[in-house]
Amino acid sequence: MTLGILVAIVVIAIATGGGGDEQAPATASGDANAAPAAAGAPASGDQSVKFGQEATSGDLVISASAPEQVTEFGMTQACSTVTYKNNGSSPASFNPFDWKFTTPAGVEASASIPFNAGAKALNSGQLAPGGTTSGMICGDQQTTDVNAVKYAPSFSFSDPITWTN
């Protein structure tokens, strides 16, 4: 029953999370001969900052804490607390599904909501001008060894931001 409710929440969040004025994703043209980026390293054009530092994406100032392992109900997740501040003059979207976790092996996993119902999970919605919100995002239970957290919104022309040590 709880799993069914969790799935319904995720489906609703995906369906409504984009909200606002969405733009088509930017397309990238890469050099076929270029060497791949190291595991957890940002791709060319990405911003890279240390965990806890603020970075700017459009009108948003965003930060992500170093991931910590959270165990609840016998399941362990790597979780990071993220914070948004809207410095713009119009509402800005925020969504937990704009985040990814990267392992040292180079596996990139989408963020999900925390298993721990008591944790302050990041919701999705619109952040008013001058507003601030924060919440916890987590990887799935197979993604516990994390060395990078990436903000890469689906509908944005902004370069992704990667937080590392």
Side-chain angles (χ1 to χ4, degrees):
M1 174 99 176
T2 303
L3 181 59
I5 293 170
L6 179 62
V7 170
I9 291 170
V10 169
V11 169
I12 291 169
I14 290 171
T16 62
D21 298 329
E22 295 181 355
Q23 301 170 346
T27 58
S29 59
D31 179 357
N33 298 321
S44 177
D46 291 7
Q47 295 182 56
S48 181
V49 295
K50 300 288 184 193
F51 287 120
Q53 290 183 330
E54 293 181 335
T56 302
S57 178
D59 290 335
L60 292 173
V61 175
I62 307 168
S63 66
S65 69
E68 58 184 80
Q69 291 194 6
V70 175
T71 301
E72 189 71 30
F73 308 118
M75 297 178 278
T76 301
Q77 294 177 285
C79 298
S80 175
T81 298
V82 299
T83 302
Y84 294 79
K85 180 174 183 186
N86 183 357
N87 285 338
S89 58
S90 60
S93 295
F94 63 95
N95 191 321
F97 302 108
D98 289 339
W99 293 87
K100 301 189 182 313
F101 290 89
T102 305
T103 68
V107 175
E108 189 172 271
S110 295
S112 64
I113 60 174
F115 293 137
N116 180 355
K120 185 182 183 303
L122 178 69
N123 293 311
S124 61
Q126 296 290 312
L127 186 58
T132 301
T133 191
S134 65
M136 187 178 283
I137 55 167
C138 298
D140 61 28
Q141 66 183 25
Q142 288 80 34
T143 311
T144 55
D145 184 18
V146 174
N147 66 339
V149 176
K150 184 194 297 188
Y151 173 72
S154 300
F155 298 101
S156 174
F157 288 108
S158 299
D159 289 328
I161 304 167
T162 302
W163 282 264
T164 60
N165 282 328

